[in-house]
Amino acid sequence: MTLDKKKSISKDIVIILTIMLLLFFSFFIVDWIIYFKELENVYYAGIAKPTLTFLCFLLVIYIKPRALEKKDWFLLFLAFLCMVPTDILMSIYGLSPNISADSPLFMIGGILSIVAHGIFAVRHGKGFPYWKKSHEFVTREQKSSAKKFIDKFWIGLSIFGTGIIIVIILWTDIVRIGHTIIAPIYLAFFCMSTWISWEAVRYKLYPKKNGILLAIGMTAWFLTEVVGEIYNIGIGNPSEIAFRFVWVFYSTTIICLSLSGLDWTKKRQ
């Protein structure tokens, strides 16, 4: 029996989202209690955070019958398959004072995160039509080559420029903690994946709602990496405050991305 379209989309998804948001607010509050009360050995937040990622992974599996298309859903599934162990490893790192930011555990988590970024780039690029000559916005007769270049690549230039400025500001501390290789690689991947997500919106490669969700998700991931690296470099109070915002951005990422694979017009059977 086919349920009413509006009810089928709203009721089940809203219930799932409510559970996720309650979980998020619970560990967000606990993080700040730990900060202000200077508590130690409070493991709830560290366990709840990867649990939220796992719930988003289950949501991806749940929406498979109502996915936009099989290939798109499969790539989304593969990306979350990398993200779940990444977040478990990063939570272990966050809970273990004896594990440093240059440890193998941290590096494995970083590599899996990069793989997830690569999968999302392939997913959101959909053949990368905006890099093909036939898809240029303007012709030679209309604007100069420089103007055409800016019109075509201003989103990417803005994102990469922002990332480079941030790395330059943090570079001394990045060198200190041994992230001289992984930080620039991260820079390239999260800037590229954020750029591709917004080009997907500009070129309408996805339905509007899905495109906005995935672009917001990848932008929030960009911000996650920025505040995460501020925490990793260990500069006292700013790093501790940054830590409290890592999962504000990352929760936005995983929730938006998990919902971006849903065909909002498809009825639940």
Side-chain angles (χ1 to χ4, degrees):
M1 179 178 175
T2 302
L3 301 178
D4 176 77
K5 184 192 301 183
K6 291 184 178 179
K7 289 184 179 179
S8 68
I9 291 296
S10 62
K11 187 176 180 180
D12 55 343
I13 298 301
V14 167
I15 291 173
I16 294 170
L17 284 176
T18 299
I19 295 171
M20 290 179 176
L21 290 174
L22 288 173
L23 181 61
F24 162 73
F25 282 114
S26 69
F27 64 67
F28 179 70
I29 292 169
V30 169
D31 267 347
W32 282 105
I33 291 174
I34 293 171
Y35 175 73
F36 285 114
K37 297 291 186 179
E38 298 181 352
L39 301 177
E40 295 181 358
N41 301 323
V42 179
Y43 299 117
Y44 170 74
I47 296 171
K49 291 170 183 177
T51 300
L52 180 58
T53 307
F54 184 69
L55 289 177
C56 288
F57 178 54
L58 294 181
L59 176 58
V60 170
I61 296 173
Y62 175 72
I63 66 172
K64 182 180 180 181
R66 289 181 282 169
L68 282 172
E69 54 186 58
K70 288 183 178 180
K71 181 180 179 181
D72 182 81
W73 179 87
F74 182 67
L75 290 173
L76 183 63
F77 172 81
L78 285 181
F80 268 89
L81 205 57
C82 293
M83 292 162 72
V84 171
T86 295
D87 295 341
I88 292 173
L89 292 174
M90 292 304 181
S91 289
I92 294 172
Y93 159 70
L95 292 171
S96 306
N98 297 325
I99 300 178
S100 65
D102 60 350
S103 66
L105 181 145
F106 185 91
M107 294 300 176
I108 292 171
I111 291 169
L112 285 174
S113 180
I114 289 173
V115 172
H117 273 286
I119 294 171
F120 278 124
V122 172
R123 178 196 181 221
H124 301 157
K126 289 199 169 186
F128 310 102
Y130 32 86
W131 289 338
K132 297 177 182 178
K133 193 172 182 180
S134 60
H135 287 265
E136 289 183 358
F137 280 177
V138 293
T139 64
R140 283 191 179 87
E141 292 76 20
Q142 292 173 317
K143 295 184 180 179
S144 66
S145 295
K147 183 63 176 175
K148 285 193 295 182
F149 180 84
I150 293 172
D151 283 352
K152 190 174 179 66
F153 296 110
W154 71 268
I155 295 177
L157 292 171
S158 300
I159 294 170
F160 273 91
T162 301
I164 290 170
I165 290 170
I166 292 169
V167 168
I168 289 173
I169 293 172
L170 301 178
W171 185 249
T172 301
D173 291 302
I174 288 173
V175 172
R176 175 174 54 80
I177 66 170
H179 280 191
T180 52
I181 295 176
I182 197 168
I185 292 175
Y186 251 57
L187 167 70
F189 270 89
F190 69 66
C191 285
M192 180 65 73
S193 55
T194 304
W195 175 23
I196 289 171
S197 69
W198 282 106
E199 293 291 6
V201 174
R202 181 161 71 149
Y203 282 84
K204 300 179 180 179
L205 303 183
Y206 282 81
K208 185 176 180 179
K209 186 176 293 187
N210 301 80
I212 293 296
L213 281 170
L214 66 87
I216 291 174
M218 297 311 297
T219 303
W221 204 346
F222 179 100
L223 296 172
T224 299
E225 302 299 347
V226 172
V227 295
E229 192 65 3
I230 292 173
Y231 169 68
N232 292 332
I233 62 178
I235 52 176
N237 212 41
S239 289
E240 290 302 317
I241 293 174
F243 177 77
R244 271 74 202 170
F245 286 95
V246 168
W247 273 83
V248 172
F249 295 119
Y250 193 63
S251 296
T252 302
T253 294
I254 56 180
I255 291 173
C256 286
L257 288 176
S258 61
L259 290 173
S260 70
L262 177 66
D263 184 346
W264 296 86
T265 66
K266 190 175 291 184
K267 298 179 180 180
R268 181 159 62 98
Q269 301 296 320

Short mmCIF file of all heavy atoms in Angstrom, two decimals, residues 173-206:
data_model
loop_
_atom_site.label_atom_id
_atom_site.label_comp_id
_atom_site.label_asym_id
_atom_site.label_seq_id
_atom_site.Cartn_x
_atom_site.Cartn_y
_atom_site.Cartn_z
N ASP A 173 52.43 26.26 13.61
CA ASP A 173 51.94 25.22 14.52
C ASP A 173 51.68 23.91 13.80
O ASP A 173 51.83 22.83 14.38
CB ASP A 173 50.65 25.70 15.21
CG ASP A 173 50.91 26.84 16.18
OD1 ASP A 173 51.71 26.65 17.11
OD2 ASP A 173 50.34 27.92 15.99
N ILE A 174 51.32 23.98 12.53
CA ILE A 174 51.14 22.76 11.72
C ILE A 174 52.46 22.01 11.61
O ILE A 174 52.51 20.78 11.73
CB ILE A 174 50.59 23.12 10.33
CG1 ILE A 174 49.12 23.54 10.43
CG2 ILE A 174 50.75 21.95 9.36
CD1 ILE A 174 48.53 24.07 9.14
N VAL A 175 53.55 22.75 11.40
CA VAL A 175 54.89 22.14 11.34
C VAL A 175 55.24 21.53 12.69
O VAL A 175 55.79 20.42 12.76
CB VAL A 175 55.94 23.19 10.93
CG1 VAL A 175 57.36 22.61 11.06
CG2 VAL A 175 55.69 23.68 9.51
N ARG A 176 54.91 22.23 13.75
CA ARG A 176 55.24 21.77 15.11
C ARG A 176 54.64 20.41 15.43
O ARG A 176 55.28 19.59 16.11
CB ARG A 176 54.79 22.82 16.14
CG ARG A 176 54.98 22.41 17.59
CD ARG A 176 54.65 23.56 18.54
NE ARG A 176 53.33 24.11 18.31
CZ ARG A 176 52.20 23.56 18.76
NH1 ARG A 176 52.24 22.43 19.44
NH2 ARG A 176 51.04 24.14 18.51
N ILE A 177 53.41 20.15 14.97
CA ILE A 177 52.75 18.88 15.30
C ILE A 177 52.95 17.81 14.22
O ILE A 177 52.36 16.73 14.28
CB ILE A 177 51.24 19.08 15.55
CG1 ILE A 177 50.51 19.53 14.28
CG2 ILE A 177 51.01 20.05 16.69
CD1 ILE A 177 49.00 19.52 14.41
N GLY A 178 53.77 18.10 13.21
CA GLY A 178 54.09 17.10 12.20
C GLY A 178 53.03 16.91 11.13
O GLY A 178 52.96 15.83 10.52
N HIS A 179 52.24 17.93 10.85
CA HIS A 179 51.20 17.84 9.83
C HIS A 179 51.58 18.54 8.53
O HIS A 179 50.72 18.97 7.76
CB HIS A 179 49.88 18.44 10.36
CG HIS A 179 49.13 17.51 11.25
ND1 HIS A 179 47.84 17.73 11.66
CD2 HIS A 179 49.49 16.32 11.82
CE1 HIS A 179 47.43 16.75 12.43
NE2 HIS A 179 48.41 15.89 12.55
N THR A 180 52.89 18.65 8.28
CA THR A 180 53.35 19.38 7.09
C THR A 180 52.94 18.71 5.78
O THR A 180 52.86 19.37 4.74
CB THR A 180 54.88 19.52 7.11
OG1 THR A 180 55.46 18.21 7.30
CG2 THR A 180 55.33 20.43 8.24
N ILE A 181 52.69 17.42 5.82
CA ILE A 181 52.26 16.70 4.60
C ILE A 181 50.75 16.57 4.56
O ILE A 181 50.10 16.92 3.56
CB ILE A 181 52.91 15.30 4.52
CG1 ILE A 181 54.44 15.45 4.38
CG2 ILE A 181 52.34 14.52 3.34
CD1 ILE A 181 55.18 14.13 4.38
N ILE A 182 50.18 16.07 5.66
CA ILE A 182 48.74 15.78 5.64
C ILE A 182 47.89 17.05 5.59
O ILE A 182 46.82 17.07 4.97
CB ILE A 182 48.34 14.89 6.82
CG1 ILE A 182 46.97 14.26 6.56
CG2 ILE A 182 48.33 15.68 8.13
CD1 ILE A 182 46.59 13.16 7.51
N ALA A 183 48.35 18.14 6.20
CA ALA A 183 47.55 19.37 6.20
C ALA A 183 47.37 19.93 4.79
O ALA A 183 46.24 20.26 4.39
CB ALA A 183 48.17 20.41 7.13
N PRO A 184 48.45 20.07 3.97
CA PRO A 184 48.24 20.54 2.59
C PRO A 184 47.40 19.59 1.74
O PRO A 184 46.61 20.03 0.89
CB PRO A 184 49.67 20.64 2.04
CG PRO A 184 50.53 20.84 3.24
CD PRO A 184 49.88 20.00 4.30
N ILE A 185 47.56 18.27 1.99
CA ILE A 185 46.75 17.30 1.24
C ILE A 185 45.28 17.47 1.62
O ILE A 185 44.39 17.47 0.76
CB ILE A 185 47.23 15.86 1.53
CG1 ILE A 185 48.61 15.63 0.94
CG2 ILE A 185 46.23 14.84 0.96
CD1 ILE A 185 49.21 14.28 1.29
N TYR A 186 45.04 17.60 2.92
CA TYR A 186 43.68 17.87 3.39
C TYR A 186 43.14 19.15 2.75
O TYR A 186 41.99 19.21 2.32
CB TYR A 186 43.67 18.00 4.91
CG TYR A 186 43.02 16.85 5.63
CD1 TYR A 186 43.47 15.56 5.44
CD2 TYR A 186 41.96 17.07 6.49
CE1 TYR A 186 42.87 14.50 6.10
CE2 TYR A 186 41.35 16.01 7.16
CZ TYR A 186 41.81 14.74 6.96
OH TYR A 186 41.21 13.69 7.60
N LEU A 187 43.99 20.17 2.73
CA LEU A 187 43.59 21.45 2.14
C LEU A 187 43.08 21.24 0.71
O LEU A 187 42.00 21.71 0.35
CB LEU A 187 44.78 22.42 2.13
CG LEU A 187 44.61 23.67 1.27
CD1 LEU A 187 43.58 24.60 1.88
CD2 LEU A 187 45.94 24.39 1.10
N ALA A 188 43.87 20.53 -0.08
CA ALA A 188 43.50 20.30 -1.47
C ALA A 188 42.19 19.53 -1.60
O ALA A 188 41.31 19.90 -2.39
CB ALA A 188 44.62 19.55 -2.19
N PHE A 189 42.03 18.48 -0.78
CA PHE A 189 40.85 17.64 -0.91
C PHE A 189 39.57 18.32 -0.42
O PHE A 189 38.54 18.26 -1.09
CB PHE A 189 41.06 16.31 -0.17
CG PHE A 189 41.66 15.25 -1.04
CD1 PHE A 189 43.04 15.13 -1.14
CD2 PHE A 189 40.87 14.39 -1.77
CE1 PHE A 189 43.61 14.16 -1.95
CE2 PHE A 189 41.42 13.42 -2.59
CZ PHE A 189 42.80 13.30 -2.67
N PHE A 190 39.62 18.97 0.75
CA PHE A 190 38.37 19.53 1.23
C PHE A 190 38.00 20.80 0.48
O PHE A 190 36.82 21.13 0.34
CB PHE A 190 38.32 19.69 2.75
CG PHE A 190 39.20 20.71 3.41
CD1 PHE A 190 39.00 22.06 3.19
CD2 PHE A 190 40.18 20.31 4.30
CE1 PHE A 190 39.79 23.00 3.83
CE2 PHE A 190 40.97 21.25 4.96
CZ PHE A 190 40.78 22.60 4.72
N CYS A 191 39.00 21.51 -0.06
CA CYS A 191 38.68 22.66 -0.92
C CYS A 191 38.06 22.18 -2.24
O CYS A 191 37.07 22.74 -2.72
CB CYS A 191 39.92 23.49 -1.19
SG CYS A 191 40.47 24.51 0.19
N MET A 192 38.67 21.15 -2.82
CA MET A 192 38.16 20.62 -4.08
C MET A 192 36.75 20.08 -3.94
O MET A 192 35.86 20.37 -4.76
CB MET A 192 39.09 19.52 -4.59
CG MET A 192 38.67 18.88 -5.91
SD MET A 192 38.72 20.03 -7.30
CE MET A 192 40.50 20.16 -7.53
N SER A 193 36.50 19.30 -2.89
CA SER A 193 35.18 18.70 -2.72
C SER A 193 34.11 19.75 -2.41
O SER A 193 32.96 19.61 -2.85
CB SER A 193 35.21 17.63 -1.62
OG SER A 193 35.71 18.15 -0.41
N THR A 194 34.49 20.80 -1.69
CA THR A 194 33.55 21.89 -1.42
C THR A 194 33.23 22.63 -2.71
O THR A 194 32.06 22.96 -2.99
CB THR A 194 34.13 22.87 -0.39
OG1 THR A 194 34.46 22.16 0.80
CG2 THR A 194 33.12 23.95 -0.04
N TRP A 195 34.26 22.90 -3.50
CA TRP A 195 34.07 23.58 -4.79
C TRP A 195 33.14 22.77 -5.70
O TRP A 195 32.18 23.30 -6.27
CB TRP A 195 35.44 23.77 -5.45
CG TRP A 195 35.40 24.36 -6.83
CD1 TRP A 195 34.39 25.11 -7.39
CD2 TRP A 195 36.40 24.24 -7.84
NE1 TRP A 195 34.72 25.47 -8.67
CE2 TRP A 195 35.95 24.94 -8.98
CE3 TRP A 195 37.64 23.62 -7.88
CZ2 TRP A 195 36.70 25.03 -10.15
CZ3 TRP A 195 38.39 23.71 -9.05
CH2 TRP A 195 37.92 24.41 -10.17
N ILE A 196 33.41 21.48 -5.82
CA ILE A 196 32.61 20.63 -6.69
C ILE A 196 31.15 20.62 -6.24
O ILE A 196 30.23 20.64 -7.08
CB ILE A 196 33.18 19.19 -6.70
CG1 ILE A 196 34.51 19.18 -7.47
CG2 ILE A 196 32.20 18.20 -7.33
CD1 ILE A 196 35.27 17.87 -7.37
N SER A 197 30.91 20.61 -4.93
CA SER A 197 29.53 20.58 -4.44
C SER A 197 28.76 21.84 -4.84
O SER A 197 27.58 21.76 -5.21
CB SER A 197 29.52 20.40 -2.91
OG SER A 197 30.00 21.56 -2.25
N TRP A 198 29.41 22.99 -4.78
CA TRP A 198 28.72 24.23 -5.17
C TRP A 198 28.57 24.36 -6.68
O TRP A 198 27.61 24.96 -7.17
CB TRP A 198 29.43 25.45 -4.58
CG TRP A 198 29.10 25.61 -3.12
CD1 TRP A 198 29.90 25.35 -2.05
CD2 TRP A 198 27.83 26.01 -2.58
NE1 TRP A 198 29.23 25.56 -0.87
CE2 TRP A 198 27.95 25.97 -1.17
CE3 TRP A 198 26.62 26.40 -3.14
CZ2 TRP A 198 26.91 26.31 -0.32
CZ3 TRP A 198 25.56 26.74 -2.29
CH2 TRP A 198 25.72 26.69 -0.90
N GLU A 199 29.49 23.77 -7.43
CA GLU A 199 29.31 23.74 -8.89
C GLU A 199 28.14 22.84 -9.25
O GLU A 199 27.42 23.09 -10.23
CB GLU A 199 30.59 23.24 -9.58
CG GLU A 199 31.78 24.17 -9.45
CD GLU A 199 31.63 25.47 -10.24
OE1 GLU A 199 30.56 25.73 -10.80
OE2 GLU A 199 32.61 26.25 -10.26
N ALA A 200 27.92 21.79 -8.46
CA ALA A 200 26.76 20.92 -8.69
C ALA A 200 25.46 21.70 -8.54
O ALA A 200 24.49 21.46 -9.26
CB ALA A 200 26.79 19.74 -7.72
N VAL A 201 25.46 22.65 -7.61
CA VAL A 201 24.28 23.51 -7.43
C VAL A 201 24.16 24.48 -8.60
O VAL A 201 23.09 24.64 -9.19
CB VAL A 201 24.37 24.30 -6.10
CG1 VAL A 201 23.21 25.29 -5.98
CG2 VAL A 201 24.36 23.34 -4.92
N ARG A 202 25.27 25.12 -8.96
CA ARG A 202 25.24 26.13 -10.02
C ARG A 202 24.83 25.53 -11.36
O ARG A 202 24.09 26.16 -12.12
CB ARG A 202 26.63 26.79 -10.14
CG ARG A 202 26.65 27.87 -11.23
CD ARG A 202 27.80 28.84 -11.06
NE ARG A 202 29.10 28.28 -11.36
CZ ARG A 202 30.12 28.99 -11.86
NH1 ARG A 202 29.96 30.28 -12.13
NH2 ARG A 202 31.29 28.43 -12.08
N TYR A 203 25.29 24.32 -11.65
CA TYR A 203 24.97 23.68 -12.93
C TYR A 203 23.74 22.77 -12.85
O TYR A 203 23.44 22.04 -13.79
CB TYR A 203 26.17 22.91 -13.44
CG TYR A 203 27.22 23.81 -14.07
CD1 TYR A 203 28.16 24.44 -13.28
CD2 TYR A 203 27.24 24.04 -15.44
CE1 TYR A 203 29.11 25.28 -13.83
CE2 TYR A 203 28.18 24.87 -16.01
CZ TYR A 203 29.12 25.49 -15.20
OH TYR A 203 30.06 26.33 -15.75
N LYS A 204 23.06 22.78 -11.69
CA LYS A 204 21.82 22.03 -11.51
C LYS A 204 21.99 20.54 -11.83
O LYS A 204 21.18 19.94 -12.54
CB LYS A 204 20.70 22.64 -12.37
CG LYS A 204 20.42 24.09 -12.01
CD LYS A 204 19.32 24.69 -12.89
CE LYS A 204 19.07 26.15 -12.50
NZ LYS A 204 18.04 26.78 -13.36
N LEU A 205 23.06 19.96 -11.31
CA LEU A 205 23.32 18.54 -11.52
C LEU A 205 22.44 17.67 -10.63
O LEU A 205 22.33 16.48 -10.86
CB LEU A 205 24.79 18.22 -11.25
CG LEU A 205 25.82 19.01 -12.08
CD1 LEU A 205 27.23 18.52 -11.77
CD2 LEU A 205 25.54 18.88 -13.57
N TYR A 206 21.85 18.28 -9.60
CA TYR A 206 20.94 17.61 -8.69
C TYR A 206 19.65 18.42 -8.59
O TYR A 206 19.65 19.62 -8.89
CB TYR A 206 21.55 17.51 -7.28
CG TYR A 206 22.57 16.42 -7.11
CD1 TYR A 206 23.89 16.62 -7.52
CD2 TYR A 206 22.23 15.20 -6.53
CE1 TYR A 206 24.84 15.63 -7.36
CE2 TYR A 206 23.18 14.21 -6.36
CZ TYR A 206 24.48 14.42 -6.78
OH TYR A 206 25.41 13.43 -6.62
#
